[in-house]
Structures are given as structure tokens and as C-alpha cells.
């Protein structure tokens, strides 16, 4: 059985674009992850339709929850990851709690600009892991960590252990984007309704060297 991973994204009402962020995570893991062949990463993109979230959750409960529970029984840790921005934070924080209620054993991972103050979320929301900064290498190393005892060795994450928040060392920014596998290798250019996306966003630089976002 493959380890089930779900990566969720929801774009803004002014920029309905293809899921390049979560696609980048999947592409990186498929190419560089140690256990890529034993891992099933599904991308879930709501394309500026938060009203579709309840229907997705009902489908996940009916069709995917049994798979998550079967994975747990075989010692495989399911993961539901969220790409969190200001425009989708309310919907996704609520969805995290609902997923956690359905399956407490699932790991909830959150990344993106809105959750970079990890302490605000790890103690008050249904979040197990916060990815700090860019996520491709961090998420891959996290997925490949044999157990939570090895999370300390993964740069760029925050989590709670024994009631205390642990932040691992900062991961350096990628400067050579040619080293990153392309999200276009794993995403569809058509949305769930079969329509082409209006646009695709591609970064030509990573982060702010002046730390203006901190």
C-alpha cells in the first residue's frame, strides 16, 4: 500500500491560477524523495471555489478516510497539507479541524505566508507541522523522516513536543531555480471542470533577501 498524501490549495478571487505551489511540492518529492514509489500524492485545488470544500470533505470521508485508516493500520502516516494564504486561511483552518476530527491520527501540515508565525497556529489550531519558508526540500525531508524523533533534523519546520514549540534551523533560500523540478510535470492545465486555467504564476526569484516579510 502507498502512503496517502493530500495537498490542498485555494487561489484568490482575483487570480484563479494553476496549483503551481502544491504542484512544486509533488514534483520535487516524486523526483528526489526517498520513498516516492511508495507514496501517493494527490493535489486538490479549489480554483476560487471555497463553496466546493464541503462536498470535497464529504467525498474524502466516504472514499479516502478508509484508505487513510488502512494506511495507519499498516504503519503508514497519512498527511494532509495546506497551502495557506490570507485569502484562504479561514476556510482552511476550519477544514483542518474537520479533517482532524474525522481522523485524529492524520498529520496536518501547513505552509505558506499566512502561517509563518508558527506559535499562533500550533497551540490553537489543528496543525501538527508548520513549514517555515519555501517548502520543496523541507517537505520532502519531512516526508522521508522515519519518525517524529527525526523531525529535529529537518531544517525549516516548527512543531510541538511535550508542550513546547520546537523550531528547527532556518533553511537557506533556493537561489538556482533550475535545481527545482517543474510543477508542470505533475499538474493538469485544466481545472476540475475541464476548463483551462486563466493563468500560471512562475517565480523567478525566491523570498526577500532583506527579510522584509519578517
Amino acid at each position: 500500500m502507498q502512503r496517502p498524501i493530500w495537498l490542498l490549495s485555494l487561489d484568490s478571487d482575483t487570480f484563479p491560477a494553476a496549483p503551481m505551489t502544491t504542484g512544486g511540492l509533488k514534483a520535487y518529492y516524486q523526483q528526489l524523495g526517498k520513498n516516492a514509489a511508495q507514496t501517493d500524492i494527490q493535489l486538490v485545488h479549489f480554483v476560487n471555489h471555497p463553496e466546493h470544500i464541503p462536498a470535497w470533505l464529504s467525498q474524502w470521508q466516504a472514499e479516502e478516510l478508509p484508505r487513510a485508516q488502512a494506511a495507519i493500520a499498516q504503519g503508514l502516516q497519512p498527511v494532509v497539507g495546506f497551502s495557506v494564504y490570507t485569502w484562504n486561511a479561514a476556510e482552511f483552518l476550519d477544514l483542518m479541524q474537520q479533517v482532524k476530527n474525522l481522523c485524529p491520527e492524520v498529520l496536518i501540515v501547513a505552509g505558506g505566508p499566512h502561517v509563518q508565525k508558527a506559535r499562533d497556529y500550533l497551540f490553537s489550531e489543528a496543525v501538527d507541522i508548520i513549514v517555515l519558508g519555501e517548502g520543496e526540500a523541507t517537505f520532502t525531508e519531512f516526508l522521508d523522516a522515519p519518525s517524529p524523533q527525526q523531525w529535529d533534523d529537518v531544517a525549516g519546520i516548527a512543531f510541538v513536543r511535550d508542550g513546547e514549540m520546537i523550531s528547527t534551523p532556518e533553511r537557506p533560500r533556493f537561489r538556482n531555480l533550475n535545481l527545482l523540478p517543474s510543477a508542470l510535470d505533475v499538474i493538469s492545465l485544466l481545472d476540475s471542470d475541464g476548463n483551462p486555467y486563466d493563468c500560471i504564476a512562475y517565480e523567478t526569484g525566491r523570498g526577500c533577501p532583506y527579510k522584509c516579510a519578517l
Side-chain angles (χ1 to χ4, degrees), residues 9-12 16-17 19 45-50 52 191-193 197:
S9 53
L10 167 62
D11 50 27
S12 71
H45 188 49
F46 292 107
V47 201
N48 189 31
H49 289 297
H52 292 174
D191 64 25
S192 58
D193 295 325
Y197 289 107

Side-chain angles (χ1 to χ4, degrees), residues 26-38:
K26 179 175 181 177
Y28 195 98
Y29 192 77
Q30 283 193 343
Q31 183 168 320
L32 299 169
K34 295 178 182 177
N35 303 299
Q38 293 79 43

Side-chain angles (χ1 to χ4, degrees), residues 10-208:
L10 167 62
D11 50 27
S12 71
D13 55 358
T14 58
F15 196 70
M20 294 290 285
T21 300
T22 51
L25 298 178
K26 179 175 181 177
Y28 195 98
Y29 192 77
Q30 283 193 343
Q31 183 168 320
L32 299 169
K34 295 178 182 177
N35 303 299
Q38 293 79 43
T39 305
D40 175 32
I41 299 179
Q42 297 186 25
L43 302 181
V44 181
H45 188 49
F46 292 107
V47 201
N48 189 31
H49 289 297
E51 68 273 12
H52 292 174
I53 290 177
W56 176 84
L57 183 63
S58 296
Q59 182 182 21
W60 188 87
Q61 182 176 4
E63 300 177 6
E64 302 293 343
L65 179 56
R67 192 159 69 96
Q69 294 169 331
I72 292 166
Q74 294 191 25
L76 301 172
Q77 181 73 70
V79 173
V80 183
F82 294 82
S83 180
V84 187
Y85 290 79
T86 301
W87 59 77
N88 64 32
E91 291 86 356
F92 273 178
L93 290 171
D94 181 62
L95 181 56
M96 292 174 197
Q97 186 62 64
Q98 293 183 71
V99 170
K100 201 71 168 175
N101 290 342
L102 290 171
C103 188
E105 299 87 355
V106 74
L107 279 178
I108 301 293
V109 180
H114 194 85
V115 294
Q116 293 304 293
K117 293 185 178 180
R119 187 172 294 276
D120 292 346
Y121 300 95
L122 288 172
F123 291 97
S124 60
E125 305 290 348
V127 181
D128 298 301
I129 302 287
I130 298 285
V131 174
L132 302 171
E134 57 192 34
E136 291 91 347
T138 300
F139 190 65
T140 287
E141 291 183 16
F142 162 72
L143 289 184
D144 283 340
S147 73
Q149 284 66 44
Q150 281 72 49
W151 290 353
D152 306 67
D153 300 325
V154 179
I157 62 173
F159 56 93
V160 174
R161 179 184 290 151
D162 299 327
E164 297 292 332
M165 189 180 84
I166 296 174
S167 295
T168 63
E170 181 180 359
R171 183 177 296 276
R173 294 187 298 124
F174 267 108
R175 286 172 168 77
N176 182 0
L177 299 190
N178 291 325
L179 299 177
L180 295 172
S182 174
L184 296 175
D185 293 337
V186 300
I187 68 171
S188 171
L189 297 182
L190 302 178
D191 64 25
S192 58
D193 295 325
N195 300 314
Y197 289 107
D198 290 346
C199 52
I200 290 178
Y202 184 80
E203 294 178 316
T204 57
R206 284 296 181 92
C208 176

